[in-house]
Amino acid sequence: MKAVENINETLKRLSSNPDFRKRYEEMKQEIITHPDVRAFLDAHRGEVTRSMIEKSWMKLYEFISQEKNCSRCKSLGECVNMMKGYVPELVIEHGNIEIHYKRCQKKILEDERNKTRRLIQSMHMPKKILAASFGDFFLEQTGRLDAYDFAHRFVREYEPGKKMKGLYLFGNFGVGKSYLLGAIANELADRKQVSSLIVYVPEFFREMKDSIGDHSTGEKLDMVKQVPVLMLDDIGAETNSSWTRDEVLGPILQYRMQEDLPTFFTSNFSYEDLEYHFTYTQRGEKEELKAARILERIKYLSVPVRMEGPNQRA
């Protein structure tokens, strides 16, 4: 069987055709004058030879034919590149010009979200929360403007590694505490490409107990501990047990204190009421010191803001 011609042999054969030769020369001129190619060649001046370029016209054409500025891409699903979610970059490898593909920020964020969903299957929040935005957050009632200002400033000033406190939003049912968390998470994703995790605490604690059997407790705990921005929703609504308080919540808060990782909370309880909640376990044990330690960590990580207003779920 005749061996398949490689691309360079095909080009040599076709170059005898005057029309093709003209188009081919125009294509090479387009490639060699392209700003991204020029930037690569300038950065590797003295390293890239003419022979390397002649062997790499098709790779260079593949490179310039794809989008490298993700700011012009509305969503990962609308990516126009050959490999969706990947950006091409030119490299020199073994004396040749090659193309490597690296994940764009939207792909990285999507992968992180998928990883979170895969590890904590029961943590799904209502669609309304996942679609929340600052623009739909009502500011009329007491505390809401303070909470909004803090949230807006947090998104604006957030930088990885920067020590920043989160919010401890407390108040009655249905006043929009969880909604504001969703809005913060969406703003961080859109503006800063930062991954956040909103954890519905009662369900999370049940998940952790169930995961003891399949030995995935440590993996799930590490995910929650290490996520860049953590949001613990409805803390205090769970049935308090010494194990979830001391072996799950305590290590999460301690780790995030040590690493200065921003952490947000919502609750129906004030700080004082939440401490009382953690004092008594479902077995009736009274453990004031352990409860005080949990509250000390929460206070270190957050700023309390009381939110009021009508029940929007009614």
Side-chain angles (χ1 to χ4, degrees):
M1 182 181 293
K2 183 180 178 181
V4 178
E5 289 182 302
N6 67 39
I7 188 68
N8 288 320
E9 291 171 344
T10 302
L11 291 175
K12 288 178 182 178
R13 181 172 55 81
L14 292 174
S15 62
S16 59
N17 182 308
D19 290 337
F20 175 82
R21 188 165 58 248
K22 179 182 178 183
R23 291 198 300 272
Y24 185 48
E25 291 301 323
E26 290 173 349
M27 182 194 76
K28 291 200 296 184
Q29 185 63 24
E30 177 189 354
I31 292 170
I32 206 67
T33 58
H34 192 280
D36 292 336
V37 173
R38 292 308 317 166
F40 171 77
L41 295 177
D42 289 343
H44 296 84
R45 191 181 300 276
E47 191 176 358
V48 177
T49 66
R50 186 68 195 180
S51 174
M52 290 167 61
I53 295 174
E54 289 295 336
K55 292 189 296 183
S56 304
W57 288 120
M58 288 299 97
K59 285 190 175 67
L60 293 171
Y61 185 73
E62 176 185 334
F63 174 72
I64 70 169
S65 299
Q66 299 186 75
E67 183 60 68
K68 290 163 281 293
N69 184 357
C70 288
S71 66
R72 293 194 283 265
C73 182
K74 293 181 180 179
S75 69
L76 187 60
E78 298 179 50
C79 177
V80 298
N81 283 353
M82 183 181 299
M83 298 174 62
K84 284 187 179 296
Y86 288 85
V87 180
E89 62 176 357
L90 293 174
V91 298
I92 296 177
E93 196 172 74
H94 307 303
N96 294 309
I97 299 173
E98 302 288 350
I99 296 179
H100 282 185
Y101 285 87
K102 62 180 181 180
R103 292 184 299 167
C104 69
Q105 286 301 316
K106 288 183 173 63
K107 174 66 174 171
I108 292 172
L109 186 61
E110 180 68 15
D111 286 348
E112 289 179 353
R113 285 174 172 170
N114 287 337
K115 183 179 179 182
T116 297
R117 287 195 290 266
R118 185 169 64 250
L119 285 172
I120 309 176
Q121 295 293 333
S122 61
M123 294 300 100
H124 296 297
M125 298 294 290
K127 289 182 179 180
K128 182 180 179 181
I129 301 302
L130 297 178
S133 69
F134 283 161
D136 293 329
F137 184 73
F138 298 108
L139 302 175
E140 290 83 357
Q141 283 78 25
T142 303
R144 299 177 73 85
L145 183 57
D146 291 339
Y148 175 85
D149 286 343
F150 184 101
H152 199 274
R153 184 172 66 254
F154 179 90
V155 172
R156 184 176 65 250
E157 298 178 0
Y158 175 83
E159 295 175 8
K162 183 178 181 180
K163 183 178 180 180
M164 300 181 73
K165 285 195 172 189
L167 278 167
Y168 181 87
L169 297 170
F170 67 101
N172 294 331
F173 296 101
V175 296
K177 302 184 297 295
S178 301
Y179 188 89
L180 184 57
L181 292 190
I184 296 170
N186 283 324
E187 288 291 321
L188 285 170
D190 292 341
R191 296 190 185 187
K192 300 291 183 75
Q193 288 75 55
V194 173
S195 179
S196 302
L197 175 60
I198 307 177
V199 174
Y200 180 58
V201 172
E203 189 64 34
F204 173 62
F205 283 175
R206 284 193 289 270
E207 177 99 2
M208 292 299 288
K209 288 180 181 178
D210 293 342
S211 67
I212 294 174
D214 62 17
H215 308 292
S216 62
T217 303
E219 188 179 16
K220 291 175 180 177
L221 191 61
D222 285 344
M223 167 63 70
V224 178
K225 285 164 60 175
Q226 297 170 15
V227 70
V229 178
L230 175 63
M231 300 174 177
L232 295 175
D233 185 49
D234 216 2
I235 190 168
E238 74 286 347
T239 300
N240 182 38
S241 74
S242 57
W243 184 78
T244 53
R245 181 194 61 201
D246 303 333
E247 303 301 325
V248 178
L249 182 60
I252 290 171
L253 299 179
Q254 183 65 27
Y255 181 90
R256 299 189 72 80
M257 279 179 55
Q258 293 172 341
E259 300 299 321
D260 287 324
L261 294 172
T263 310
F264 290 74
F265 307 84
T266 71
S267 182
N268 298 129
F269 294 147
S270 65
Y271 278 159
E272 294 74 18
D273 292 336
L274 188 63
E275 183 172 1
Y276 181 85
H277 166 76
F278 284 127
T279 297
Y280 294 91
T281 69
Q282 62 188 130
R283 296 181 178 179
E285 301 159 321
K286 184 178 181 181
E287 298 177 316
E288 294 175 308
L289 182 58
K290 292 182 177 179
R293 286 173 179 163
I294 292 292
L295 257 295
E296 180 185 6
R297 295 165 183 167
I298 292 175
K299 289 179 179 179
Y300 178 89
L301 290 165
S302 64
V303 174
V305 174
R306 182 180 184 88
M307 281 181 56
E308 298 180 4
N311 187 340
Q312 297 175 19
R313 301 176 191 166

